[in-house]
């Protein structure tokens, strides 16, 4: 079961987690990324290439399902203006057991960070700066290409 | 004739979010296309000045500079992604 979306509306992780899990689920691992108020950031703006972003979410979800034999993946990412403290992204991996759920959840957020067409811009009052990509994010994804699952 | 989409800082620098172009037949790859677009205006040239900070997708699939654009319907040019 794959449930992915790019959302212009605020993400409610509790509501997403309250949805029924796939039959056979014994472990759900989730991650919620939240906008920080770094250095006086007042708004985090997220620009998306919508059709490609949703296709990328679905592709990453399917690759995680295939690799870890998951029962399902939920992935919702915000677009538009996000205030500090609000969720930017929510990922959940559903599996029979905890190890694949935890690993797949970590893989999914690494994949979204480096391989989905989304761009962040930090607003501090009227001043705006595009966020620069971090080397650590690409390295985090690269480690999944060399480490085989148990 | 492919539609070119621009995102984020590239969009702002070019000054538009999309355009339909009709490049000459000699434009065969993404790299050729970017070279040709850069010759179209100072804004395009500035947007594509640093190729190390330019990424692309052909019909919604990430693509390398040497990828062929033959038959492409939608080509997107943008900076490295920063979602998540």
């Amino acid at each position: 079961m794959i449930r992915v979306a790019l959302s212009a509306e605020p993400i409610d992780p509790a509501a997403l987690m309250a949805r029924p899990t796939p039959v056979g689920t014994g472990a759900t691992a989730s991650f919620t990324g939240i906008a920080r108020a770094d250095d006086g950031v007042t708004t985090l703006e997220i620009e998306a290439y919508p059709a490609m972003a949703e296709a990328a979410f679905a592709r990453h979800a399917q690759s995680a399902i295939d690799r870890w034999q998951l029962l399902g993946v939920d992935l919702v990412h915000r677009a538009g203006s996000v205030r500090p403290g609000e969720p930017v992204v929510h990922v959940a991996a559903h599996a029979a057991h905890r190890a694949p759920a935890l690993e797949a959840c970590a893989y999914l957020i690494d994949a979204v960070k480096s391989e989905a067409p989304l761009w962040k811009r930090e607003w501090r009052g009227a001043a705006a700066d595009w966020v620069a990509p971090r080397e650590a994010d690409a390295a985090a994804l690269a480690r999944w290409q060399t480490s085989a699952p148990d | 004739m492919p539609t070119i989409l621009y995102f984020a800082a590239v969009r702002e620098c070019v000054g538009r979010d999309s355009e339909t172009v009709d490049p000459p037949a000699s434009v065969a790859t993404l790299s050729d296309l970017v070279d040709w677009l850069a010759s179209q205006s100072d804004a395009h040239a500035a947007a594509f000045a640093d190729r190390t900070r330019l990424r692309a997708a052909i019909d919604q699939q990430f693509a390398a500079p040497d990828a062929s654009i033959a038959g492409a319907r939608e080509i997107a040019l943008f900076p490295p992604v920063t979602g998540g």
Side-chain angles (χ1 to χ4, degrees), chain A residues 82-111:
Chain A
V82 181
R83 281 176 300 191
E86 291 183 345
V88 174
V89 59
H90 178 81
V91 178
H94 307 284
H97 301 286
R98 71 185 185 283
L102 288 164
E103 287 189 19
C105 183
Y107 160 78
L108 283 162
I109 191 62
D110 287 343

Side-chain angles (χ1 to χ4, degrees), chain A residues 7 26 32 45 54 78-80 117 127 129 138 150:
Chain A
S7 175
T32 303
E45 178 191 350
E54 290 198 324
R78 274 301 307 275
D129 297 293
D150 293 330

Side-chain angles (χ1 to χ4, degrees), chain B:
Chain B
M1 287 193 295
T3 299
I4 315 295
L5 305 180
Y6 303 111
F7 291 98
V10 171
R11 170 180 57 74
E12 289 193 315
C13 197
V14 172
R16 61 181 72 177
D17 58 16
S18 70
E19 60 186 319
T20 300
V21 298
D22 190 10
S26 60
V27 172
T29 66
L30 267 177
S31 184
D32 295 342
L33 177 69
V34 173
D35 289 340
W36 179 78
L37 287 168
S39 72
Q40 301 301 297
S41 80
D42 289 346
H44 287 81
F48 309 135
D50 183 356
R51 301 292 173 90
T52 66
R53 305 245 323 126
L54 192 65
R55 300 291 182 273
I58 297 176
D59 293 330
Q60 303 182 4
Q61 298 281 336
F62 286 106
D66 62 356
S68 168
I69 62 165
R73 296 182 305 278
E74 186 173 281
I75 297 172
L77 298 170
F78 44 78
V81 302
T82 56

